[in-house]
Amino acid sequence: MVQTRISPVRSDGGWSDVSGFGGDAVVPFDLKTTECNGLAIVAVRGELDCATAPRLRAALDGLDAVGRIVRIDLSATDFMDCAGVGVLVVSHRRLSHLGGELVLVSPSDPVRRVLELTGLLDVMAVAAGAN
C-alpha cells in the first residue's frame, strides 16, 4: 500500500508538495492489476479523487484491447469524487467502442451513492462479487 500526501498532481502524474493543500494528512491508496485470458481485474483501495484518479486512468489506459473485459473492484474504495467518476466514464466509453466492457465490482456504500447520484448505476455494469 502506498501512503500518499493529499496534494495536487503534477502534469507528469507525480505528487506535488504544495504547502497549505491538505496539510499533513496522509491518505492510503493502492491499485492492483491482474490479467488472465483477456480479463483484467483492477482493485482500487483507498480514496479515488483528483490526487489519485490519474493513477487509475494510467492503469486503465494500458488495458485497452478489442473485446477486453475490465472489472474494477471498488469494495475497498472509501471515497470517490468527480475525478474518479470521469476516469470510469472515459474508460467505459473507450472499452464499449472496442467491443469490450467495464464492470464495476462490489462498490462500497460511499462509492455506490456517488454512482446512484450520477446515474451511472443505470449505464455501467455492476457485479456483486470479485469473480
Side-chain angles (χ1 to χ4, degrees):
M1 167 114 31
V2 176
Q3 299 284 322
T4 58
R5 288 194 177 277
I6 300 175
S7 301
V9 177
R10 299 187 315 243
S11 61
D12 65 357
W15 299 104
S16 175
D17 288 328
V18 177
S19 62
F21 189 87
D24 291 329
V26 176
V27 178
F29 179 79
D30 195 26
L31 286 176
K32 180 180 178 186
T33 304
T34 307
E35 295 180 68
C36 184
N37 298 327
L39 173 67
I41 299 172
V42 180
V44 180
R45 182 177 206 169
E47 296 187 1
L48 183 54
D49 56 22
C50 63
T52 58
R55 288 184 53 199
L56 178 59
R57 182 180 59 236
L60 293 174
D61 286 350
L63 298 174
D64 286 349
V66 174
R68 168 154 286 166
I69 297 171
V70 176
R71 297 172 62 93
I72 302 179
D73 182 350
L74 297 169
S75 61
T77 305
D78 304 322
F79 172 84
M80 182 172 69
D81 69 6
C82 60
V85 169
V87 170
L88 297 179
V89 168
V90 167
S91 185
H92 169 74
R93 287 183 180 162
R94 193 172 46 242
L95 285 166
S96 294
H97 180 72
L98 292 170
E101 184 178 24
L102 181 73
V103 179
L104 307 179
V105 179
S106 301
S108 65
D109 289 340
V111 171
R112 180 173 287 280
R113 181 71 177 138
V114 171
L115 296 171
E116 287 172 0
L117 291 171
T118 57
L120 291 178
L121 285 180
D122 299 327
V123 177
M124 295 184 180
V126 179
N131 294 326

